């Protein structure tokens, strides 16, 4: 593995501001509703923890675990469901919370699986929308940051299961 270098991209305070903005937007759009937040593990674990505290609504939280990455920085294209949800979603207003939408394959698979369970509504909130390598026409409804390309780590995002604990977001570059 070549040496890699971390270049600061989004600071903790910048992330905080975006998370608060997303929380306020969701609170306004779903005013009067009791929503179901479905977080996609593992990458969204810090984001969802902060996001739900920025949402001023009654809500429930559930988790799914999907995996499309090995130890490379490119999607394998194969999306594997490793953990099933516990809560029923039929008739619920569901907001899926993702860390990153890249090719869009992960989210497209999940989106259609969730739609089959007949939620009342289904929207997507992602911390980062990475647009350059999109392969399927999926558009998140709530976006924290938009980047073109590049591999990022920190604030829950990993490279080969490392860097998730960094409070800020960094671009991972070859040294
Ligand atoms: P997609 O199926 O190509 O959209 O892959 C999305 C998933 O790949 C995300 O949920 C992330 O877990 C992972 N991923 C994509 N880009 C990055 C990145 O820059 N850093 C860390 N994980 C990433
Ligand atoms: Mg992920």
């Amino acid at each position: 593995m070549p040496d890699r270098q971390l270049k600061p991209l989004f600071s903790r305070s910048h992330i905080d501001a975006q998370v608060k903005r997303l929380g306020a937007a969701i609170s306004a759009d779903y005013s009067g509703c009791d929503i179901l937040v479905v977080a996609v593990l593992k990458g969204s674990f810090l984001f969802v923890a902060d996001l739900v505290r920025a949402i001023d609504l009654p809500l429930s939280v559930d988790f799914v675990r999907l995996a499309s990455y090995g130890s490379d920085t490119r999607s394998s294209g194969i999306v594997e469901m490793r953990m099933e949800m516990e809560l029923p979603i039929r008739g619920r207003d569901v907001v899926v919370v993702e860390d990153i939408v890249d090719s869009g394959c992960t989210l497209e698979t999940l989106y259609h699986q969730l739609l089959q369970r007949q939620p009342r509504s289904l929207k997507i909130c992602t911390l980062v929308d990475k647009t350059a390598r999109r392969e399927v026409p999926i558009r998140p409804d709530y976006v924290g940051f938009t980047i073109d390309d590049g591999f990022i780590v920190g604030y829950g995002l990993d490279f080969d299961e490392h860097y998730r604990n960094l409070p800020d977001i960094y671009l991972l570059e070859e040294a």
Side-chain angles (χ1 to χ4, degrees), residues 40-44 66-69 98-100 106 157-158 164:
V40 183
L41 293 174
K42 300 178 195 171
S44 67
L66 305 173
S68 66
Y69 269 83
E98 247 292 28
D99 54 354
I100 301 191
T106 307
L157 307 171
D158 75 305
R164 292 194 198 274

Side-chain angles (χ1 to χ4, degrees), residues 37-39 41 44-53 61-63 97 155:
V37 172
V38 176
L41 293 174
S44 67
F45 81 111
L46 293 179
F47 175 43
V48 75
D50 288 337
L51 181 66
V52 292
R53 285 178 287 182
V61 181
D62 207 347
F63 298 95
V97 175
Y155 192 61

Side-chain angles (χ1 to χ4, degrees), residues 3-162:
D3 269 353
R4 291 174 190 269
Q5 207 169 280
L6 297 177
K7 191 175 145 206
L9 188 63
F10 305 124
S11 68
R12 179 67 242 212
S13 61
H14 197 176
I15 297 167
D16 274 347
Q18 296 307 309
V19 171
K20 291 211 170 73
R21 175 180 62 77
L22 293 173
I26 291 169
S27 305
D29 291 353
Y30 290 92
S31 171
C33 299
D34 183 341
I35 66 171
L36 174 59
V37 172
V38 176
V40 183
L41 293 174
K42 300 178 195 171
S44 67
F45 81 111
L46 293 179
F47 175 43
V48 75
D50 288 337
L51 181 66
V52 292
R53 285 178 287 182
I55 298 176
D56 185 20
L57 295 172
L59 61 78
S60 321
V61 181
D62 207 347
F63 298 95
V64 284
R65 173 131 189 243
L66 305 173
S68 66
Y69 269 83
S71 54
D72 206 344
T73 54
R74 281 203 162 242
S75 176
S76 64
I78 300 161
V79 178
E80 201 186 315
M81 173 90 85
R82 295 212 184 134
M83 195 175 96
E84 261 294 334
M85 296 176 52
E86 285 179 354
L87 303 177
I89 74 168
R90 193 189 184 103
R92 299 295 307 270
D93 291 301
V94 176
V95 179
V96 174
V97 175
E98 247 292 28
D99 54 354
I100 301 191
V101 184
D102 183 13
S103 73
C105 295
T106 307
L107 214 50
E108 200 198 28
T109 307
L110 179 65
Y111 191 85
H112 288 106
Q113 286 178 4
L114 294 182
L115 265 190
Q116 283 176 359
R117 300 183 196 183
Q118 301 180 312
R120 191 164 87 111
S121 67
L122 183 57
K123 283 193 183 180
I124 297 165
C125 176
T126 187
L127 177 64
V128 178
D129 188 7
K130 196 153 90 172
T131 55
R133 297 194 304 205
R134 191 65 41 85
E135 287 168 22
V136 293
I138 200 145
R139 281 191 50 198
D141 303 280
Y142 302 98
V143 175
F145 299 96
T146 301
I147 62 171
D148 186 36
D149 205 356
F151 202 84
I152 58 176
V153 296
Y155 192 61
L157 307 171
D158 75 305
F159 173 68
D160 204 9
E161 294 302 330
H162 286 82

